[in-house]
Amino acid sequence: MAGDQLQVLNALDVAKTQWYHFTAIIIAGMGFFTDAYDLFSISLVTKLLGRIYYTDISSGKPGSLPPNVAASVNGVAFCGTLAGQLFFGWLGDKMGRKRVYGMTLMLMIVCSIASGLSFGHEAKGVMATLCFFRFWLGFGIGGDYPLSATIMSEYANKKTRGAFIAAVFAMQGFGNLTGGIIALIVGSAFKAKYPAPSFEENAAASLVPEADFVWRIILMFGSVPAILTFYSRMKMPETARYTALVAKNAKQAASDMAKVLQVEIADEQEKVDEITSQPRNEFGLFSKEFAKRHGLHLLGTMTTWFLLDIAFYSQNLFQKDIFSAVGWLPAAKSMSALGELFKVARAQTLISLCGTVPGYWFTVAFIDIIGRFKIQLMGFAMMAVFMFGLAIPYNHWKHPDNRIGFIVMYGLTFFFANFGPNATTFVVPAEIFPARLRSTCHGISAASGKAGAIVGAFGFLYLAQNQHGTTDAGYPHGIGVRNSLMILGGICILGFFFTLLVPESNGKSLEEMSGENEDDGEEMGQYNNRTVPV
């Protein structure tokens, strides 16, 4: 028989869905709303930044960011996110989830505002300060990944835990969508107030001076949701699993959860001392025991998130370039600066509305029915199918009569990314590791994913350039969009096979998955979770 569960933890596992569950989803989810808005809004304004700071009228074409600047502006927040995931993930296990949670949100608020207040009027000064603040913005965003996932997993009941964690992550879809909507509103307002001809009609007049306010307003708006949720986040009690199993304070854990659940919960300090003193609950991250119990699981969560984010962020950050390549967006010189921003934002908003947002909520609806493992396998497989479906007949999709079909296929790759590995790679690391290492292991897995995002953000800029003929200013010849999509399809196939290392956690308590409440005499036999569910 497995060891008896603590009463406070059992009360959380069997609790009916209550208002505090939805409160936790909203508080943690608004952090991800802000995360997605901040990380993806930069992709909307890069063309405008190129027009404002790098246009040479004598060249005969609108300005664009030089390769090194474009890579820095697009990728620097990911570098900060990677560092933040590792640092705050570790700190969340050392200091507690709640104490660190406020630090990350405050950092996001300050740096969102500062991103729009980049110093100077010259390109070099503006880009340098923009990159500086977006690095630290990413650092704060990085902390939200392991902390939000861990807090939600430790608050949730085991019956609907997957849906609750996925709902937190699903707020990214609304953040992404809102980024497009805000750009449409701000761009339309300035476009109506300051009309301008296209670049080919009048190069100098196509860029109105007031356009410099537009990108700043769009980036600074990312602070608004974070400000609105700061007070609520500070009022959340520490999770009972951290208080009992890591801080070893049974009385505080019982008191906090009695208020949340509105039930009487016994103080079991002796039982907490007995459980936490067992050898199975003392091994560290770099021990042989961790490698034996969780090594393959950590490898699985790291590799699948890494491979997923290469494919996901390559497309998401640069979808405006793909739309241009197939002719869905007109040539840049046929539009004014604000007109181009409007059409890029419209395209991204359409993809978010039709593909991104529904995919997230399909995961929320089915993750506790189908299970994490099957959804992740299906998602990787369908992403590969649709990427190959775009790449192999690529010239067919470039024909004007077939562009709507291209948009549908492209939207379906996002749908199955979100009704698939983009959600499940976030959920599973928060469920399968011990409480004292949960935030750290989720941070390591998420950082591996952001390493993949960096590969996509930096590499795709170069890979997608034409093999022959003209390329974007300053870029060498690449392998083209078609071959890039082929590579991304192959990456999804690799993700499918590495998913076999990840265990199914559906319907099990966190302590069952981590082995924290097993008796020493039978712990390995009882705990030995099969990696591939049968």
Side-chain angles (χ1 to χ4, degrees), residues 273-347:
D273 293 339
E274 180 185 348
I275 290 172
T276 55
S277 64
Q278 296 293 333
R280 67 177 181 272
N281 291 325
E282 293 181 343
F283 61 82
L285 180 64
F286 299 105
S287 65
K288 288 183 180 179
E289 188 68 14
F290 179 87
K292 184 178 181 180
R293 288 169 171 261
H294 300 290
L296 283 178
H297 298 163
L298 184 58
L299 177 64
T301 58
M302 288 175 64
T303 52
T304 51
W305 208 335
F306 174 78
L307 294 167
L308 177 276
D309 272 9
I310 293 177
F312 186 78
Y313 282 92
S314 291
Q315 292 195 93
N316 221 329
L317 276 174
F318 304 104
Q319 58 185 227
K320 62 187 184 302
D321 297 315
I322 295 175
F323 287 144
S324 296
V326 299
W328 208 67
L329 290 175
K333 64 181 181 180
S334 68
M335 299 178 281
S336 67
L338 293 178
E340 184 178 31
L341 172 75
F342 179 86
K343 291 186 178 178
V344 171
R346 184 182 64 181

Side-chain angles (χ1 to χ4, degrees), residues 364-386:
V364 173
F366 292 107
I367 191 168
D368 290 312
I369 300 172
I370 301 174
R372 293 81 161 131
F373 182 82
K374 291 179 181 177
I375 287 178
Q376 187 160 311
L377 281 179
M378 175 197 69
F380 270 126
M382 296 305 293
M383 285 176 70
V385 166
F386 285 112

Side-chain angles (χ1 to χ4, degrees), residues 462-467 476-485 487:
Y462 295 87
L463 283 178
Q465 296 298 317
N466 293 326
Q467 288 178 286
H477 288 288
I479 62 173
V481 174
R482 179 180 182 274
N483 291 333
S484 297
L485 287 169
I487 290 174

Side-chain angles (χ1 to χ4, degrees), residues 35 80 84 88 103-105 107-108 135-144:
D35 297 348
F88 287 114
M103 301 180 198
T104 63
L105 200 65
L107 195 56
M108 289 160 58
F135 174 87
W136 291 107
L137 171 64
F139 193 69
I141 285 173
D144 230 44

Side-chain angles (χ1 to χ4, degrees), residues 185-240:
I185 293 171
V186 176
S188 298
F190 274 79
K191 187 179 172 186
K193 180 69 174 177
Y194 307 103
S198 67
F199 186 88
E200 59 188 358
E201 291 175 332
N202 188 329
S206 68
L207 176 64
V208 295
E210 291 78 9
D212 193 50
F213 291 108
V214 173
W215 68 269
R216 298 177 186 273
I217 293 171
I218 293 171
L219 294 184
M220 291 171 71
F221 186 85
S223 65
V224 174
I227 292 170
L228 294 176
T229 57
F230 183 78
Y231 177 76
S232 298
R233 188 173 282 202
M234 292 297 92
K235 294 285 287 182
M236 287 182 74
E238 181 59 85
T239 70

Side-chain angles (χ1 to χ4, degrees), residues 103 237 251 291 355 499:
M103 301 180 198
K251 184 177 181 180
T499 297

Side-chain angles (χ1 to χ4, degrees), residues 351-374:
I351 286 292
S352 294
L353 188 62
C354 298
T356 304
V357 173
Y360 281 117
W361 292 99
F362 264 72
T363 300
V364 173
F366 292 107
I367 191 168
D368 290 312
I369 300 172
I370 301 174
R372 293 81 161 131
F373 182 82
K374 291 179 181 177

